[in-house]
Amino acid sequence: MTPQEIQTFIKDVPDFPKPGIIFKDITPLLADSRALRATIDELAARVEPLGADGILAIESRGFIFGSALAVKLGLPLQLVRKRGKLPRESLSVRYELEYGFDHLEVHSDAIEAGRRYLIVDDVIATGGTAAAVAELVDQCSAVVAACVFVIELGFLDGRQRLGEHPVVSLITY
C-alpha cells in the first residue's frame, strides 16, 4: 500500500476542536489492520537506515505508532507523558502552547547519553511538542536520529521549529 493509498484512510473533520480547524482523523486508519500495517512498514523502512537505539513515543497517539515501530525494529520504547503521569523520577521540559505553557516528562533513566533516538508522534503541526522532546534528548547528551510522524501539516512549518533534527513524515498536507 502506497502513502497515497494510506492517506485515503485519514478523514477530514471540519471545525474540530474549534471552528476553522480541519482535524485529521486517524481512527479509520487504526481501524483497518492492513492500512495500519502498511503505515508501520513504510515508516520502518524510512527510519531503519538511521541506526536508532531507541524510541521516544509522545502521549498519546504517538504511543500507538511508537510501540508498533519498536516491535517492528526491535528497539526499546520509552514513553513521553504530560507532567505527573509517570510513576518514577522524571526529567521535565516546559514548552509553549498556542495559549500558555505545558510540560512533558520522561523517566530520568530513559534517555542514555550518546544513544540515538527516534521521536515518534502521529502528527507534526507547529512542532512544539517534538521540539520539547528533542530538547530533553539534547539535555541528556543523546542524539535525535529523527522525528517521525505519520502526518505533517506542512503549512504550519513545524519542521522548521525542529532545526537541524531530521524529520520523517509519511503524508504531508
Side-chain angles (χ1 to χ4, degrees):
M1 188 177 290
T2 68
Q4 293 77 17
E5 292 169 318
I6 293 167
Q7 186 173 355
T8 65
F9 290 90
I10 299 168
K11 303 301 178 197
D12 286 350
V13 180
D15 299 322
F16 183 83
K18 60 184 183 179
I21 302 287
I22 298 175
F23 183 80
K24 301 297 183 188
D25 182 13
I26 62 165
T27 57
L29 171 68
L30 299 175
D32 188 288
S33 63
R34 199 176 63 105
L36 180 57
R37 180 179 295 114
T39 300
I40 298 305
D41 288 347
E42 184 65 31
L43 287 172
R46 293 178 185 203
V47 300
E48 190 169 26
L50 302 176
D53 298 305
I55 293 175
L56 299 168
I58 300 173
E59 185 172 339
S60 66
R61 290 177 301 268
F63 292 175
I64 298 165
F65 298 102
S67 60
L69 278 172
V71 170
K72 176 85 177 172
L73 298 172
L75 296 174
L77 174 70
Q78 301 292 343
L79 304 181
V80 179
R81 306 236 24 215
K82 293 192 176 164
R83 185 167 45 185
K85 299 290 186 179
L86 292 172
R88 295 186 284 115
E89 183 181 331
S90 301
L91 303 173
S92 181
V93 65
R94 181 178 187 239
Y95 69 104
E96 191 172 354
L97 298 168
E98 187 177 354
Y99 300 105
F101 294 90
D102 206 347
H103 292 80
L104 289 172
E105 294 182 338
V106 66
H107 280 134
S108 58
D109 60 356
I111 303 171
E112 297 178 43
R115 298 292 209 166
R116 297 173 53 78
Y117 292 90
L118 299 172
I119 297 171
V120 178
D121 206 352
D122 64 328
V123 175
I124 179 172
T126 62
T129 306
V133 178
E135 184 179 327
L136 282 172
V137 173
D138 293 342
Q139 287 174 8
C140 292
S141 300
V143 176
V144 175
C147 298
V148 183
F149 310 97
V150 176
I151 298 169
E152 179 175 356
L153 302 178
F155 57 92
L156 294 176
D157 294 325
R159 182 181 286 256
Q160 289 181 310
R161 193 160 183 185
L162 294 171
E164 298 296 317
H165 299 300
V167 174
V168 174
S169 59
L170 188 58
I171 298 161
T172 301
Y173 290 96

